[in-house]
Amino acid sequence: QMEKEQVTYKEFLERKRHSIGESGFDPAYIPDIAFDFQKAIIEKSVRKGRIANFADTGLGKTLIQISIAQNIVLKTNRKVLILTPLAVAFQFIIEAEKLEISDIEYSKDGKHTKKIVICNYERLHYFNPSDFEGIILDESSILKNFDGAIKNQVTAFVKKIPYRFLATATPSPNDFIELGTSSEALGYMGYMDMLTKFFKNNQNSVDSTNRNIGEKFYLKPHAEKDFFAWVNQWSIMVKMPSDLGFSNERYVLPNLIINQSVVQNQSLTDINGQINLFTPIAKSMTEVRHEQKQTEQKRCEKAIELAYGKTSVYWCNTNEESRILKSLDSDAVEIIGSQSIDKKEEILLAFSRGEITRLITKAKMTSMGLNWQHCNHSVFFPTWSYEQYYQAIRRFWRFGQKKDVTIDIVVSDGQTRVLEALQQKTQKAIELHENLVKNVNSSFQNKTKEFNKQIIQTSW
């Protein structure tokens, strides 16, 4: 029988703490090929030591992350681990070749001999945190798409690593918990403390209004300035180089064309089996799923019509939608959850190389980090998720795209509330970004009350 290790309660608590020492150092490596704003991000990140880079898609996060890793290697002579979504690791290898950095490798089984090691989130269990001095989570917001086991694994893994970096596009405007978990992963304020300090819960209260579709928490009006100042203490927010004071000249994108196609739901049966005189607007998530189920065939037929003869991606939500799309388009290739990691990666790479004309996939699986500038058309079945919608679009509409990008959104006539929610969230994303940029130089102090006054006792 294996002998159990005896630890004191103090030692148990100590093991759960984040490793301390969050200060960085002066960078020794800034690549000449980096743009001016990228150099500024690299310098600030390395000096900070632990930071989230909320840099929009197409701004060169891959180059920035490799440069940060190289600085840690030069400073400590130890290894750095970069976690990426599926099929993104090869983009790091290609970028490293441009930077003439050869001490880098992609590991699928936990074996590594180079100083900079890349692996997928799904393969993290092969690795030991004690082997690494730094860790970088590429497209870190993808963590919410994984099951609890992988999220917990990543959280536990990063806690003992001194240098930590997160990289993702602009955070979701309604997902403030993501900001809290990002802060906590970096070793700063935890998300529960963040919610308590800056937010109120609008559920089951008079504060819950139609304007807050899909929100569980909202920012306290009097805490708004402090909140954005706090986020800027541990992150860099940039949608365009001008946010950091640099020119946007090289980052002007082609036109983005959003079309909406509405198919009619012929069924008058609601979710409770009742017959209606007309198709009601789906309001709850359950009703939306019911509406989607009733219109699967019609929406898929419309999607096939819109993508005919094009290089395109079908973004669906269910296995049944994927099956129908495949049955209607024999040239399309499916990515489904039951496939192995290697098979999914093989298909994604084949599409990136132009070997596959049309791809059928789900935004929650493959919308992060992939560069698909060779494609300028997509069909999207929307859900409440703004981030999935935004990330899916930005696979095509990004720096390096030479043509106008067309996104065909296909919904049923009962799903108009979903579109309204996406429009609201798009506006709130703009407001979130503007607030973060506006408060980039604001100072924030986490003040705590001290209970040090003498207790006044009654005379009797």
Side-chain angles (χ1 to χ4, degrees):
Q1 186 177 359
M2 185 179 294
E3 186 176 335
K4 292 184 178 180
E5 181 184 8
Q6 298 295 320
V7 295
T8 65
Y9 185 63
K10 183 178 180 181
E11 290 171 333
F12 172 75
L13 293 178
E14 188 66 26
R15 291 183 182 186
K16 286 187 169 293
R17 290 181 59 191
H18 291 261
S19 62
I20 54 179
E22 61 188 34
S23 300
F25 50 87
D26 289 335
Y29 170 76
I30 304 291
D32 292 334
I33 66 171
F35 293 136
D36 45 11
F37 74 92
Q38 293 170 339
K39 292 178 180 179
I41 293 173
I42 295 167
E43 289 175 3
K44 182 173 180 177
S45 298
V46 174
R47 287 196 176 101
K48 186 72 175 175
R50 294 182 184 176
I51 200 168
N53 284 320
F54 296 126
D56 212 354
T57 56
L59 290 182
K61 288 194 293 294
T62 304
L63 178 146
I64 290 168
Q65 290 171 89
I66 294 174
S67 300
I68 291 171
Q70 181 69 357
N71 273 285
I72 297 172
V73 169
L74 293 175
K75 175 71 175 180
T76 67
N77 196 32
R78 296 199 67 219
K79 294 183 176 183
V80 178
L81 182 66
I82 302 176
L83 296 178
T84 74
L86 281 177
V88 176
F90 292 103
Q91 294 172 187
F92 277 80
I93 300 298
I94 293 170
E95 196 69 38
E97 290 175 356
K98 295 178 184 176
L99 296 171
E100 298 182 350
I101 293 176
S102 58
D103 203 2
I104 185 171
E105 64 183 323
Y106 173 30
S107 174
K108 296 183 178 182
D109 57 5
K111 297 177 182 177
H112 46 89
T113 59
K114 306 286 188 179
K115 282 292 196 294
I116 301 175
V117 184
I118 308 166
C119 85
N120 305 124
Y121 285 97
E122 296 91 338
R123 295 182 169 113
L124 180 61
H125 59 280
Y126 291 121
F127 295 84
N128 187 332
S130 63
D131 292 337
F132 302 97
E133 191 74 6
I135 187 165
I136 300 173
L137 307 188
D138 180 47
E139 302 294 352
S140 55
S141 63
I142 199 177
L143 280 173
K144 69 168 78 69
N145 295 339
F146 291 120
D147 60 29
I150 292 181
K151 281 187 282 192
N152 293 339
Q153 199 174 54
V154 173
T155 302
F157 195 97
V158 302
K159 281 186 177 181
K160 289 299 178 182
I161 298 181
Y163 299 110
R164 312 174 199 170
F165 302 88
L166 310 179
T168 191
T170 307
S172 178
N174 289 345
D175 198 351
F176 291 112
I177 289 181
E178 181 187 334
L179 291 171
T181 52
S182 296
S183 169
E184 188 169 29
L186 293 169
Y188 302 121
M189 188 187 295
Y191 78 87
M192 287 305 298
D193 292 330
M194 178 201 73
L195 290 175
T196 303
K197 193 171 192 68
F198 300 113
F199 293 86
K200 286 189 71 176
N201 190 325
N202 70 16
Q203 291 185 325
N204 301 319
S205 73
V206 294
D207 295 311
S208 183
T209 64
N210 188 54
R211 184 177 181 273
N212 295 321
I213 293 175
E215 290 186 14
K216 293 181 181 178
F217 296 90
Y218 69 92
L219 189 58
K220 298 174 184 176
H222 67 275
E224 184 171 313
K225 184 177 179 181
D226 273 352
F227 171 71
F228 291 114
W230 168 70
V231 174
N232 274 299
Q233 298 300 305
W234 51 267
S235 70
I236 298 173
M237 170 68 69
V238 52
K239 286 184 77 70
M240 293 293 282
S242 57
D243 294 333
L244 301 178
F246 298 97
S247 172
N248 293 333
E249 184 179 355
R250 297 181 181 179
Y251 278 82
V252 177
L253 296 177
N255 294 322
L256 176 64
I257 304 163
I258 305 291
N259 299 323
Q260 293 180 10
S261 297
V262 180
V263 301
Q264 187 175 2
N265 183 2
Q266 302 287 354
S267 174
L268 297 177
T269 305
D270 67 16
I271 193 169
N272 298 313
Q274 301 298 315
I275 304 298
N276 299 294
L277 293 175
F278 55 87
T279 303
I281 302 299
K283 295 179 180 180
S284 68
M285 182 67 76
T286 304
E287 290 172 346
V288 168
R289 290 198 183 102
H290 178 69
E291 178 77 13
Q292 289 173 334
K293 185 70 176 175
Q294 289 181 318
T295 59
E296 281 175 337
Q297 185 71 30
K298 281 186 169 294
R299 286 185 292 108
C300 289
E301 288 173 356
K302 187 64 179 178
I304 299 299
E305 175 190 326
L306 293 166
Y308 179 77
K310 302 182 179 78
T311 297
S312 186
V313 176
Y314 302 105
W315 299 99
C316 61
N317 301 306
T318 68
N319 290 339
E320 182 62 15
E321 288 171 350
S322 180
R323 187 197 66 77
I324 295 171
L325 287 168
K326 176 59 181 174
S327 69
L328 296 173
D329 186 348
S330 59
D331 291 333
V333 177
E334 287 181 284
I335 288 183
I336 54 179
S338 60
Q339 291 170 333
S340 68
I341 296 175
D342 290 330
K343 182 61 177 178
K344 292 173 185 172
E345 198 165 56
E346 176 188 324
I347 295 171
L348 290 169
L349 288 171
F351 181 74
S352 299
R353 292 192 292 258
E355 297 166 7
I356 292 173
T357 306
R358 283 179 293 282
L359 187 68
I360 304 169
T361 185
K362 298 174 185 175
K364 67 180 181 181
M365 288 198 302
T366 57
S367 66
M368 298 284 194
L370 294 159
N371 298 332
W372 287 342
Q373 293 96 327
H374 74 290
C375 175
N376 69 325
H377 181 267
S378 179
V379 182
F380 189 81
F381 293 171
T383 65
W384 298 106
S385 173
Y386 167 80
E387 184 179 37
Q388 289 179 11
Y389 168 70
Y390 182 78
Q391 286 283 354
I393 289 174
R394 294 310 295 257
R395 296 312 97 219
F396 322 98
W397 192 55
R398 57 193 295 120
F399 180 66
Q401 176 61 259
K402 304 300 183 185
K403 301 177 181 178
D404 291 347
V405 173
T406 299
I407 307 295
D408 283 308
I409 298 177
V410 179
V411 294
S412 64
D413 48 1
Q415 288 181 275
T416 55
R417 191 172 170 86
V418 176
L419 293 179
E420 289 173 6
L422 287 178
Q423 289 165 357
Q424 286 184 15
K425 291 175 182 180
T426 299
Q427 183 57 40
K428 289 184 180 182
I430 295 171
E431 293 171 6
L432 171 65
H433 167 69
E434 288 176 347
N435 275 313
L436 285 167
V437 173
K438 182 173 65 178
N439 290 281
V440 68
N441 294 317
S442 301
S443 60
F444 169 76
Q445 292 182 336
N446 188 17
K447 298 177 182 178
T448 56
K449 292 182 180 179
E450 293 186 12
F451 299 92
N452 52 12
K453 293 183 179 181
Q454 185 176 356
I455 296 174
I456 300 175
Q457 297 179 335
T458 58
S459 58
W460 50 270

